[in-house]
Amino acid sequence: MGTTITGWGSALPDKVVTNADFASYLDTSDTWIVERTGIRERRFGGSTAGLAEQAARVALECAERDPATISYLLLATTTPDWTIPATSSALHAALGCGGGAFDLNAACAGFVYALVVADSLCRTTPGTNALVIGSDTLSRVTDQRDRATAVLFGDGAGAVVVEHAPGESLIVAHDLGVDGSAVPILNAPIGGTIYMEGREVYRRAVRAELNSITAVLEKSGLGPEDLALFVPHQANVRIIEAVNERLGIPMEKTAIVLDRTGNTSAASIPFALCEAAGEGRIKAGDLVLLSGFGAGMTWASAIIRWGVAGPQA
Ligand code: UT7
């Protein structure tokens, strides 16, 4: 017994913030930001539940699924709208979902964590399904006067519908991990803003992604040549290039959205996955590698079998 993805959708707020906007009041430049990160613009605005709702509605329509028939709603976020209750509660009501709902916080690796949990919830029970969303509004927890972090982050959401299906699991292989000794180098206390030791996070991120992707390739017995697409966490194009070079994954086979979104944390992988699906870069049966890392330091990789028949009408 298995699972498949039957729908997908994404959302961004309307407000575009360009590198020039930061250069107008901070000691930074478009050249520095593009050369060091690959980011050209990002979107600010909305709430975590609001962006999640927009992305989820598109995914539900794509899957032709009535929200009332949803078994589980999993919201991966590191920027909840409230401390109490879980943001997924409000989202559950707004969408009119059935079943249970919970938030999952594994920072930028959260969507892949949530996808693995959803797969295990739905795999063994016929008739079950899950709405899996990554949504974050990092602009709300970023000090916009701190050039070291302000230019990096943006807001957004991406969602997929996972359903029980005959056959195999959509997750071909996965690897989830965390190194809690990294809490001091990337964090935001309750009510505070993001603190990050960028260079050290960069160093650990490359290492974590290399190890995690190597682990899923070994578990699955697959090589980079078997993958239709690599969808990495969208933090810095230099991190993606470093990982790709060492693993032999061509950049042409890699989904990149960070030039337009910045780092949207748990939303970055599903957003990039949805864009690739919308552009027809993946088709039913294709193997797709997802891999992310984030505060914690968490990491998560999965090789998934893409399920929906094609771009939504
Ligand atoms: O998803 C969450 C995980 N987070 C990440 O993945 C972020 C990982 N880290 C990075 O992507 C990079 O380390 C950064 C983009 C944050 C920084 O790039 P870097 O090449 O590592 O630069 P750096 O931190 O070594 O800083 C180089 C210089 C410093 O000045 P000095 O000390 O050489 O005079 C910084 O103060 O660049 C300066 N700098 C800036 N200059 C202009 C830092 N931020 C900026 C800025 N504009 N926005």
Side-chain angles (χ1 to χ4, degrees):
M1 290 201 273
T3 49
T4 189
I5 290 175
T6 56
W8 41 268
S10 61
L12 287 179
D14 292 334
K15 186 182 173 192
V16 177
V17 180
T18 65
N19 292 347
D21 290 332
F22 287 110
S24 72
Y25 74 98
L26 284 176
D27 181 14
T28 189
S29 65
D30 178 57
T31 307
W32 190 97
I33 301 168
V34 172
E35 282 179 1
R36 299 292 179 118
T37 71
I39 299 166
R40 292 180 185 277
E41 60 185 44
R42 68 292 288 145
R43 304 288 187 97
F44 283 3
S47 64
T48 292
L51 292 170
E53 183 183 343
Q54 279 182 46
R57 285 195 187 283
V58 179
L60 287 163
E61 202 178 321
C62 179
E64 297 179 353
R65 185 151 278 289
D66 178 347
T69 65
I70 289 293
S71 316
Y72 307 103
L73 190 169
L74 283 72
L75 175 65
T77 186
T78 197
T79 48
D81 292 335
W82 300 277
T83 302
I84 300 171
T87 302
S88 52
S89 294
L91 186 56
H92 188 270
L95 290 167
C97 281
F102 58 98
D103 289 10
L104 185 157
N105 183 352
C108 307
F111 177 79
V112 180
Y113 265 76
L115 199 60
V116 170
V117 173
D119 172 72
S120 57
L121 284 169
C122 299
R123 197 167 45 205
T124 51
T125 312
T128 53
N129 58 54
L131 177 57
V132 186
I133 308 163
S135 181
D136 265 308
T137 45
L138 285 175
S139 69
R140 298 190 303 180
V141 293
T142 306
D143 179 353
Q144 299 300 337
R145 294 157 304 172
D146 172 18
R147 68 175 185 174
T149 52
V151 303
L152 302 176
F153 301 112
D155 306 333
V160 297
V161 177
V162 171
E163 308 214 15
H164 177 88
E168 293 169 273
S169 161
L170 77 96
I171 307 275
V172 176
H174 72 269
D175 174 63
L176 308 180
V178 63
D179 174 4
S181 73
V183 170
I185 64 167
L186 175 52
N187 60 69
I190 288 175
T193 53
I194 295 175
Y195 168 80
M196 182 170 72
E197 293 173 23
R199 220 177 287 185
E200 181 58 14
V201 172
Y202 185 109
R203 205 178 61 78
R204 292 193 190 211
V206 172
R207 197 174 59 204
E209 284 231 282
L210 281 174
N211 289 342
S212 186
I213 293 171
T214 302
V216 288
L217 289 173
E218 277 177 16
K219 279 183 196 176
S220 64
L222 297 166
E225 65 284 358
D226 299 311
L227 305 171
L229 191 71
F230 173 33
V231 184
H233 173 46
Q234 309 281 313
N236 186 327
V237 76
R238 286 161 52 216
I239 294 176
I240 298 169
E241 286 167 350
V243 168
N244 278 19
E245 196 187 340
R246 289 199 220 168
L247 292 173
I249 301 174
M251 286 303 281
E252 308 82 70
K253 267 199 192 177
T254 304
I256 304 286
V257 299
L258 60 81
D259 52 319
R260 288 154 288 134
T261 63
N263 179 348
T264 58
S265 193
S268 94
I269 289 175
F271 185 89
L273 180 66
C274 291
E275 183 176 279
E279 291 172 348
R281 290 181 76 185
I282 43 178
K283 56 184 191 312
D286 275 352
L287 295 172
V288 181
L289 168 65
L290 313 179
S291 184
F293 58 88
M297 173 176 255
T298 56
W299 60 84
S301 299
I303 295 173
I304 66 166
R305 189 172 287 102
W306 187 248
V308 286
Q312 55 196 318

